[in-house]
């Protein structure tokens, strides 16, 4: 029996290699995984042209996944430097990479990325349009927009961020309401500007079936972008954000009718108390589709530390329904991330994701922490390092300040609570003065 997409296969009862990989990784029964995929609450982005892909699942009952953004731009065109970031990100166990390249040799970079990456790859084709078409924004045609999308699909991209919900009706709300930051989504701003310059409807909203044709043909997942995501706390959960979310829900159902997998992108900047409600709203309005969030950043006043503000928001969001976290680095709002920024952003986001996995009761999540607790109780430093999320940093910290007694650390020395409890419970004496 043949199938067109992973969703189509699940609905027909066909087990794909990607499903087998995901079921094994997640320790989920195959019938449960296929049921969730058939309903759209779980996706496995897997372009038929991405030969090196191993497959990851995103959604209901699965581990929270982490995405890394990178790519070449006009001010930073060093392809090899970005590929170094790719290799580093892969070594740090992320599950997805979004190529946000917008200038220069975007196609060669994208092809190398797809060829070398076993994790899912996403792009935002509208970023690439001006350079791809060699035209001013005003002069790009509907056919031009779709030529760019088709090229990305053919190149093997697993998911596409498309801001199809930012239509003329939503655009009018943006113009009428008093937002502080207006539109901060780069793709959303480009499409909004094109619509205004040409007095036209969003081409991806108006010609949505044409987009679905490409996705169905190559089994590409739609990541329906939030062009109206809030760029500051003040703008969160306003009319334009909710209006776009309603549109995205309608577009989700249309995609599912064509067996095209969908996830929804979300905020953005948002106060902590608004996060649970936003997660519930997305799940309700978008019929349980997986939710992919940037942050949310829970305060606007910590430039240089936004990997922390985003990790706080990401942990809360994932605990309340988000399924996929986009990393945020210390360089957010300031510059293109360096390799060190990338590492800091990945670790902060992985911590948030794992904390949420524990809270959500994901199989195996708590066992990792229990193993670490046992190693600490035994003062088994080597096992602690092996279990650490970042074993290199843990080893470096320990080595930088070695204690007099190897069964303690330089903070407590012979007053170490764990050391002393172990000795007392073993019937041994404690000497603190020598």
């Amino acid at each position: 029996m043949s199938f067109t997409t992973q969703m189509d296969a699940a609905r027909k009862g066909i087990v794909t290699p990607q499903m087998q990989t995901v079921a094994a990784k997640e320790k989920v029964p195959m019938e449960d995984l296929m049921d969730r995929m058939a309903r759209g609450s779980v996706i496995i982005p897997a372009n038929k042209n991405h030969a090196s892909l191993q497959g990851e699942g995103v959604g209901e009952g699965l581990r929270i996944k982490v995405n890394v953004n990178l790519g070449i731009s006009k001010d930073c065109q060093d392809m090899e430097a970005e590929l170094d970031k790719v290799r580093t990100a892969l070594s740090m166990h992320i599950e997805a990479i979004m190529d946000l390249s917008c200038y220069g040799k975007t196609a060669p970079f994208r092809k190398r990325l797809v060829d070398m990456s076993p994790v899912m790859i996403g792009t935002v084709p509208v970023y690439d349009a001006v350079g791809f078409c060699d035209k001013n924004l005003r002069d790009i045609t509907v056919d031009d927009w779709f030529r760019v999308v088709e090229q990305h699909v053919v190149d093997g991209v697993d998911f596409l961020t498309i801001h199809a919900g930012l239509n003329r009706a939503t655009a009018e709300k943006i113009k009428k309401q008093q937002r502080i930051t207006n539109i901060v989504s780069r793709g959303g701003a480009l499409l909004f500007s094109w619509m205004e310059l040409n007095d036209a409807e969003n081409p991806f909203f108006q010609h949505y079936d044409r987009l679905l044709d490409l996705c169905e043909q190559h089994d590409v997942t739609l990541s329906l972008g939030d062009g109206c995501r809030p760029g500051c706390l003040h703008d969160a959960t306003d009319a334009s954000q909710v209006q776009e979310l309603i549109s995205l829900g309608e577009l989700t159902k249309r995609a599912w009718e064509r067996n095209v997998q969908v996830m929804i992108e979300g905020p953005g900047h948002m106060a902590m108390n608004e996060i649970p409600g936003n997660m519930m709203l997305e799940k309700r309005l978008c019929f349980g589709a997986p939710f992919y969030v940037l942050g949310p950043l829970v305060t606007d006043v910590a430039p240089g530390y936004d990997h922390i503000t985003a990790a706080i928001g990401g942990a809360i969001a994932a605990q309340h329904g988000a399924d996929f976290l986009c990393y945020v680095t210390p360089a957010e709002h300031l510059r293109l991330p360096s390799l060190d920024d990338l590492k800091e952003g990945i670790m902060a986001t992985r911590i948030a994701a794992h904390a949420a996995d524990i809270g959500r009761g994901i199989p195996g999540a708590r066992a990792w922490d229990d193993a670490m607790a046992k190693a600490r109780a035994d003062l088994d430093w080597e096992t602690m390092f092996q279990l650490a999320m970042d074993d290199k940093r843990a080893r470096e910290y320990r080595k930088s300040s070695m204690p007099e007694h190897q069964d303690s650390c330089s903070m407590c020395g012979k007053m170490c609570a764990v050391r002393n409890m172990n000795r007392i419970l073993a019937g041994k004496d404690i000497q603190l003065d020598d």
Side-chain angles (χ1 to χ4, degrees):
M1 188 183 299
S2 63
F3 63 92
T4 55
T5 68
Q6 296 288 324
M7 174 178 264
D8 185 38
R11 288 173 169 176
K12 290 177 177 177
I14 300 172
V15 177
T16 68
Q18 292 82 6
M19 291 180 197
Q20 291 176 326
T21 298
V22 170
K25 284 182 181 179
E26 303 283 348
K27 301 180 177 62
V28 174
M30 182 61 71
E31 57 270 26
D32 292 347
L33 177 65
M34 295 177 75
D35 174 67
R36 297 169 198 173
M37 292 179 68
R39 290 187 283 107
S41 66
V42 165
I43 58 173
I44 302 179
N47 189 318
K48 295 174 181 177
N49 299 326
H50 189 174
S52 62
L53 181 71
Q54 292 181 359
E56 290 286 355
V58 178
E60 180 187 349
L62 307 185
R63 290 179 300 106
I64 306 301
K65 304 305 186 296
V66 173
N67 172 73
V68 166
N69 292 339
L70 42 78
I72 54 176
S73 63
K74 189 169 185 178
D75 291 319
C76 298
Q77 301 180 44
D78 189 339
M79 185 185 300
E80 292 305 319
E82 291 305 295
L83 290 171
D84 281 343
K85 292 180 185 177
V86 172
R87 286 184 276 269
T88 299
L90 292 174
S91 73
M92 296 179 70
H93 309 295
I94 50 85
E95 289 89 10
I97 296 174
M98 284 203 75
D99 172 16
L100 305 187
S101 296
C102 59
Y103 185 85
K105 298 179 180 179
T106 59
F109 178 79
R110 182 169 59 252
K111 290 174 183 176
R112 288 184 67 179
L113 174 61
V114 170
D115 287 343
M116 70 188 290
S117 176
V119 304
M120 53 186 165
I121 302 297
T123 60
V124 190
V126 298
Y127 291 2
D128 200 20
V130 174
F132 182 92
C133 301
D134 194 22
K135 293 180 178 180
N136 290 323
L137 182 62
R138 179 195 295 271
D139 299 325
I140 294 176
T141 67
V142 171
D143 286 341
D144 289 334
W145 288 119
F146 278 93
R147 281 197 302 119
V148 180
V149 172
E150 184 171 14
Q151 187 60 62
H152 284 225
V153 166
V154 169
D155 287 344
V157 170
D158 302 296
F159 64 95
L160 299 171
T161 291
I162 303 289
H163 300 86
L166 180 56
N167 54 25
R168 293 297 293 272
T170 306
E172 286 303 311
K173 290 192 183 301
I174 285 285
K175 290 190 285 186
K176 289 179 180 178
Q177 67 188 60
Q178 294 183 335
R179 272 190 162 194
I180 293 178
T181 56
N182 295 311
I183 292 179
V184 298
S185 160
R186 195 184 341 173
L190 286 169
L191 283 171
F192 180 93
S193 300
W194 184 89
M195 291 158 62
E196 291 292 303
L197 290 169
N198 290 281
D199 191 25
E201 181 57 276
N202 181 335
F204 299 112
F205 179 79
Q206 186 173 8
H207 304 281
Y208 190 60
D209 285 326
R210 184 173 176 180
L211 180 63
L212 295 179
D213 287 342
L214 290 170
C215 292
E216 184 180 22
Q217 180 182 354
H218 297 274
D219 195 3
V220 173
T221 297
L222 273 179
S223 184
L224 291 174
D226 53 337
C228 297
R229 71 170 180 264
C232 63
L233 301 190
H234 175 275
D235 296 343
T237 326
D238 65 1
S240 57
Q241 180 192 335
V242 175
Q243 175 68 43
E244 183 181 33
L245 194 57
I246 292 170
S247 295
L248 296 182
E250 295 166 350
L251 295 174
T252 296
K253 295 194 79 172
R254 288 176 59 185
W256 286 346
E257 290 170 1
R258 297 283 300 274
N259 292 311
V260 172
Q261 300 183 108
V262 174
M263 61 180 161
I264 308 297
E265 295 188 10
H269 293 237
M270 184 169 292
M272 290 171 60
N273 60 299
E274 294 185 53
I275 294 174
N278 269 261
M279 301 305 105
M280 181 188 68
L281 196 62
E282 183 277 339
K283 291 292 184 178
R284 180 68 61 85
L285 294 178
C286 297
F287 311 102
F291 202 15
Y292 171 34
V293 297
L294 178 71
L297 282 69
V298 294
T299 178
D300 297 329
V301 298
Y305 299 91
D306 278 327
H307 59 312
I308 298 173
T309 67
I312 294 169
I316 298 170
Q319 176 62 34
H320 289 88
D323 306 287
F324 194 10
L325 302 182
C326 184
Y327 92 149
V328 174
T329 77
E332 185 78 10
H333 302 108
L334 302 172
R335 62 171 166 83
L336 189 76
S338 67
L339 187 60
D340 285 339
D341 295 330
L342 174 134
K343 294 176 182 177
E344 292 294 319
I346 289 174
M347 288 309 304
T349 312
R350 285 191 61 206
I351 292 167
H354 179 61
D357 285 343
I358 294 169
R360 288 167 62 151
I362 298 299
R366 191 68 173 259
W368 185 6
D369 291 71
D370 290 344
M372 177 63 86
K374 178 66 166 58
R376 283 178 174 155
D378 294 340
L379 293 170
D380 182 350
W381 294 97
E382 182 56 35
T383 300
M384 286 186 240
F385 296 144
Q386 292 174 7
L387 289 168
M389 197 175 286
D390 183 350
D391 66 308
K392 182 179 179 182
R393 176 171 287 193
R395 291 178 189 275
E396 288 174 350
Y397 269 77
R398 170 77 171 168
K399 187 177 180 180
S400 69
S401 182
M402 292 297 291
E404 178 184 359
H405 300 277
Q406 294 303 306
D407 60 351
S408 64
C409 74
S410 58
M411 177 179 287
C412 300
K414 293 182 71 174
M415 295 183 69
C416 171
V418 175
R419 176 180 182 271
N420 291 336
M421 286 300 298
N422 288 346
R423 292 180 67 84
I424 284 293
L425 293 175
K428 297 179 180 179
D429 190 16
I430 296 175
Q431 298 293 331
L432 302 180
D433 56 352
D434 58 9

